[in-house]
Amino acid sequence: EPIAEAARKAKEMRPDLSLEIEIDNPDKLPEALKTEATVIMLCNMTPDDVQHCVKKIRQTRKKVYVDSS
């Protein structure tokens, strides 16, 4: 799980900073949600993919800021 590993390393190096994760595929969302990320950026996704991801994030009740570009 490369996202989880990168997130773990980032938090080890700088635990004082918030963690932002950028994903470009809805299939990567479950792994991103397992991290301590406070921001998940949904990049280059279709409106339907963004809607799907936001629905999945809301179902987890995880407090995370979502950005879409």
Side-chain angles (χ1 to χ4, degrees):
E1 297 185 328
I3 293 172
E5 181 65 16
R8 184 188 62 74
K9 287 180 180 179
K11 286 307 274 184
E12 281 180 4
M13 292 177 72
R14 291 300 304 266
D16 55 314
L17 297 179
S18 64
L19 180 63
E20 299 180 5
I21 294 180
E22 180 178 315
I23 61 172
D24 59 2
N25 184 315
D27 294 337
K28 297 177 182 176
L29 182 63
E31 186 179 356
L33 288 170
K34 292 178 186 176
T35 69
E36 296 179 40
T38 56
V39 178
I40 296 178
M41 296 176 281
L42 310 175
C43 296
N44 301 320
M45 291 190 191
T46 66
D48 286 342
D49 286 343
V50 170
Q51 185 176 10
H52 172 79
C53 287
V54 169
K55 183 178 178 182
K56 291 292 186 184
I57 292 167
R58 286 182 176 160
Q59 289 173 349
T60 68
R61 299 193 181 269
K62 181 174 178 142
K63 300 247 188 246
V64 64
Y65 177 84
V66 178
D67 179 65
S68 175
S69 62

